[in-house]
Amino acid sequence: MDTKREARNVSSTRRYDAAEAPPKLEEILSRVSVHDVIAFGATCSTFYQLSLSPSLWRRLCHRQATGVQLSATPSTDWRRTAILKYSQGLQMHCLAGAGSRTRRWCSHNALAASLARVPPSALGYMRLAITRDRVLVFDSQGTVFLLGDTAVAPSPRNPVIWSVLCRNAKDFAVDPRSNTFCQYIYVLVGRVAARPPGGPLCDCVEVFQQDTGNRVFQMTFHPSMTFAQLRLTGSQVKRVLLLLTDTGKVYELSLNETQLNTSRSYTVLLALKKISTSSPHLPVAQIHAGSSSTLYLTGEGSAYLEAHSPGVYRQLFGTNLGYAPQDTHTPLPLLLPYKVVKCSLGLSHLCLLDDCGRIFLQGKNHYGQLGTGDKIDRGEPTQVVLNVLPVEVWCGLNHSLALLQRESGEKEVQGCGCGSGSRLPGYPKGSAVFVKLRISVPRAARSLCASKDGIFLLCCHDIAEPPLFRCLPPVKEEEESAVESDEKKRLLWQLAQLKECESLGQKVGVLRQAVQKNMSISPAHREFLVQALNAIHPASDDLTNQS
């Protein structure tokens, strides 16, 4: 009897390992939340296999989908769809400097959060943009949603209303100056042109009025040209549209926004950018645009910057040497020996993330917005060491924010720079280093941005996305000991030279050279030691003593 009972248990276990869950258990799991199903699968390997049942996730999808059009195709990933639907959300943290009507979005506590209601037809928030009066969200189905006036407080008589701005979109863009009034919204749309059925796809750019949501202008392109990304730069009178093709080439066209309301058609010139003509072997993967600058990331992870004015060039590089007013569209390489996978471009500073999760900042640092611990400008990417893995970075006017994730999966927001206007909740005086802000962060948060009214967190978890960062390769013990031995020899040699010096100036000069070239310390500490040595004994006196 015992042998037969063991055989029945083995056969029952094999049935549990199948793709479909047992009917009774599936019926129970289909009535709980997505979070509970995931927690059930984390119990043991057997339950994990049961939690992967396609029929179970299909039932969860149909239970959640009140307005989403779910196509029942054999390739439908019901688990991914259900998790996208469950984890999506938009959270706003109201700042103390916001207007009275905007503060009603949150409680009376300035650090509290308000969660906007998700539109029923949305599926998987992927991108967020904030203007002075509007909030725009882009989902995985290519739908651009427009949230009503953020200065109007939600109430039973005036609920939070999402409107569909455009469908079948590939990308969208607004004026990069978020604190100014944004009159138009540009959407890159892929659709069938007005031609016989079965004709080729034709991409176009549609321009919408922000306050009404009505389309006022449309630009169509040749069917042979397909685009993947759209960005804006320039002013209202001379607006520049940057279009990235599927093959990595960048085109630009200029137009005057004051003429968009006129009911007439005209032809605009589509020109190839210099980044694509000078380096055709380096296809561009991402475009990040500011009001007077543009940052390109190539597929190989290189970063190139365009500064369109001498003031922006000086703020980003610390000098005007090398700036050519007659050729402001020449891409300047940012010297970073690592592969860049993400970045954020502010007005006077920028932030880069490499494929190992390291953070590098460059530019103006008068308020400590680079997080280096001082207020010294940096003309080249400088690494800032954080003990938490970054998810997203955002560069404001004079402060920086970083969305970070701990090993446990918990997330937090850290910031540095100016703290006036409650830009850094919990630190009204600001901070020259990254500090943890006093705001609650959902585990599903994927990106962030900020305005003068609040900090916005876009929430969504996509299980199909590959990991953004790779682990640092382990260093072998013999290689590590060899590196330490070489560094020790260099320091002993410098110490011997220091003892042979007779005057104070010569000793300070040798020590300064060791700090600048031979010590493996952070750039902030190196800069501090050099400035301290200059305060003790200027470099000009060293040259005099040595001569």
Side-chain angles (χ1 to χ4, degrees):
M1 292 295 294
D2 294 338
T3 306
K4 294 181 179 180
R5 187 176 302 170
E6 291 178 1
R8 284 197 298 267
N9 290 337
V10 172
S11 62
S12 176
T13 304
R14 289 176 179 173
R15 288 198 301 270
Y16 274 34
D17 290 340
E20 301 291 336
K24 291 184 179 180
L25 184 58
E26 180 177 320
E27 179 67 24
I28 297 174
L29 293 176
S30 64
R31 297 180 182 274
V32 300
S33 66
V34 173
H35 178 269
D36 292 335
V37 175
I38 296 175
F40 170 81
T43 306
C44 63
S45 59
T46 301
F47 287 173
Y48 175 72
Q49 294 295 329
L50 294 176
S51 67
L52 299 180
S53 170
S55 59
L56 168 62
W57 288 103
R58 181 173 56 188
R59 297 177 69 171
L60 288 173
C61 283
H62 286 291
R63 200 189 71 187
Q64 292 183 106
T66 56
V68 182
Q69 299 295 329
L70 297 177
S71 57
T73 61
S75 61
T76 302
D77 191 345
W78 296 107
R79 182 168 176 262
R80 174 177 179 266
T81 303
I83 294 177
L84 283 176
K85 185 67 179 176
Y86 172 79
S87 61
Q88 64 186 359
L90 175 64
Q91 188 164 300
M92 174 184 176
H93 295 265
C94 185
L95 301 181
S100 59
R101 292 186 298 171
T102 306
R103 285 199 297 269
R104 296 175 196 164
W105 274 75
C106 308
S107 65
H108 294 288
N109 181 6
L111 305 180
S114 175
L115 190 64
R117 188 182 64 181
V118 177
S121 59
L123 180 62
Y125 287 162
M126 294 298 168
R127 185 165 166 253
L128 171 70
I130 304 296
T131 66
R132 192 178 67 175
D133 304 312
R134 304 290 182 183
V135 178
L136 292 101
V137 173
F138 183 60
D139 74 348
S140 62
Q141 292 182 323
T143 305
V144 180
F145 295 93
L146 180 65
L147 179 62
D149 190 354
T150 56
V152 179
S155 64
R157 294 184 179 181
N158 184 29
V160 179
I161 299 177
W162 288 95
S163 59
V164 176
L165 182 70
C166 183
R167 300 186 185 276
N168 301 321
K170 293 183 175 182
D171 198 8
F172 74 95
V174 295
D175 194 324
R177 298 171 298 176
S178 60
N179 292 330
T180 62
F181 174 71
C182 175
Q183 186 176 4
Y184 297 106
I185 302 170
Y186 294 76
V187 182
L188 176 63
V189 184
R191 60 179 53 175
V192 177
R195 55 192 306 134
L201 292 176
C202 178
D203 288 352
C204 66
V205 173
E206 296 185 351
V207 185
F208 295 86
Q209 192 86 25
Q210 181 190 231
D211 51 357
T212 63
N214 297 328
R215 191 182 71 181
V216 297
F217 195 75
Q218 183 183 35
M219 291 173 281
T220 59
F221 305 97
H222 193 271
S224 62
M225 302 187 69
T226 56
F227 301 100
Q229 192 177 4
L230 168 68
R231 290 294 180 267
L232 299 181
T233 186
S235 61
Q236 181 182 10
V237 178
K238 192 176 181 181
R239 180 68 67 198
V240 178
L241 277 69
L242 301 175
L243 294 163
L244 177 64
T245 65
D246 293 337
T247 58
K249 294 183 179 180
V250 183
Y251 289 85
E252 69 170 351
L253 61 90
S254 302
L255 54 87
N256 189 348
E257 288 186 349
T258 60
Q259 301 177 357
L260 293 180
N261 283 324
T262 59
S263 56
R264 66 186 183 90
S265 61
Y266 57 91
T267 303
V268 294
L269 179 62
L270 189 65
L272 195 63
K273 289 285 292 182
K274 196 166 185 178
I275 182 77
S276 297
T277 57
S278 60
S279 303
H281 59 286
L282 293 176
V284 177
Q286 301 178 33
I287 304 177
H288 300 265
S291 58
S292 299
S293 58
T294 307
L295 182 62
Y296 304 100
L297 294 185
T298 66
E300 297 180 353
S302 303
Y304 293 86
L305 180 66
E306 291 181 6
H308 303 152
S309 67
V312 173
Y313 186 95
R314 182 175 181 83
Q315 289 177 337
L316 291 175
F317 292 98
T319 179
N320 281 334
L321 296 176
Y323 177 75
Q326 69 279 3
D327 192 10
T328 59
H329 296 283
T330 299
L332 304 173
L334 299 180
L335 302 178
L336 193 65
Y338 309 106
K339 181 179 180 180
V340 181
V341 294
K342 271 191 176 183
C343 68
S344 178
L345 179 61
L347 180 63
S348 59
H349 70 293
L350 58 89
C351 182
L352 306 174
L353 290 181
D354 73 349
D355 59 344
C356 294
R358 291 170 291 202
I359 297 181
F360 300 84
L361 290 103
Q362 173 182 340
K364 185 178 178 181
N365 195 28
H366 291 183
Y367 296 90
Q369 58 263 46
L370 300 186
T372 54
D374 53 41
K375 296 184 179 180
I376 302 173
D377 298 344
R378 299 294 195 277
E380 59 184 17
T382 303
Q383 183 178 359
V384 177
V385 179
L386 297 177
N387 295 327
V388 190
L389 189 67
V391 177
E392 186 75 33
V393 291
W394 184 83
C395 294
L397 179 62
N398 46 30
H399 70 294
S400 303
L401 301 177
L403 176 63
L404 309 173
Q405 178 176 342
R406 297 190 174 274
E407 293 182 359
S408 61
E410 298 291 335
K411 292 183 180 178
E412 63 186 48
V413 174
Q414 294 188 11
C416 61
C418 179
S420 63
S422 191
R423 289 182 177 91
L424 304 179
Y427 297 86
K429 295 183 179 180
S431 175
V433 296
F434 278 93
V435 290
K436 182 180 179 180
L437 305 184
R438 294 178 56 192
I439 61 177
S440 60
V441 183
R443 294 175 67 96
R446 63 175 294 148
S447 64
L448 81 164
C449 63
S451 66
K452 64 178 182 179
D453 295 327
I455 299 176
F456 295 82
L457 294 170
L458 189 69
C459 305
C460 184
H461 179 65
D462 189 358
I463 61 175
E465 286 185 347
L468 184 63
F469 306 116
R470 63 179 178 88
C471 297
L472 290 172
V475 180
K476 297 181 179 180
E477 294 182 0
E478 54 270 16
E479 294 180 359
E480 187 175 0
S481 60
V483 172
E484 292 180 355
S485 178
D486 293 341
E487 185 174 359
K488 187 176 181 179
K489 289 180 181 179
R490 288 195 300 267
L491 293 177
L492 290 176
W493 179 73
Q494 292 284 350
L495 186 60
Q497 280 192 327
L498 186 65
K499 293 179 179 179
E500 294 177 358
C501 296
E502 299 179 355
S503 63
L504 175 63
Q506 293 177 350
K507 293 180 179 180
V508 172
V510 172
L511 183 57
R512 185 185 294 109
Q513 184 179 5
V515 170
Q516 290 178 336
K517 297 182 179 180
N518 296 328
M519 283 191 179
S520 302
I521 56 179
S522 66
H525 294 162
R526 180 181 292 107
E527 187 71 22
F528 170 77
L529 291 176
V530 170
Q531 295 296 332
L533 291 173
N534 289 335
I536 296 173
H537 204 281
S540 59
D541 295 345
D542 298 345
L543 298 177
T544 303
N545 295 333
Q546 291 176 4
S547 61

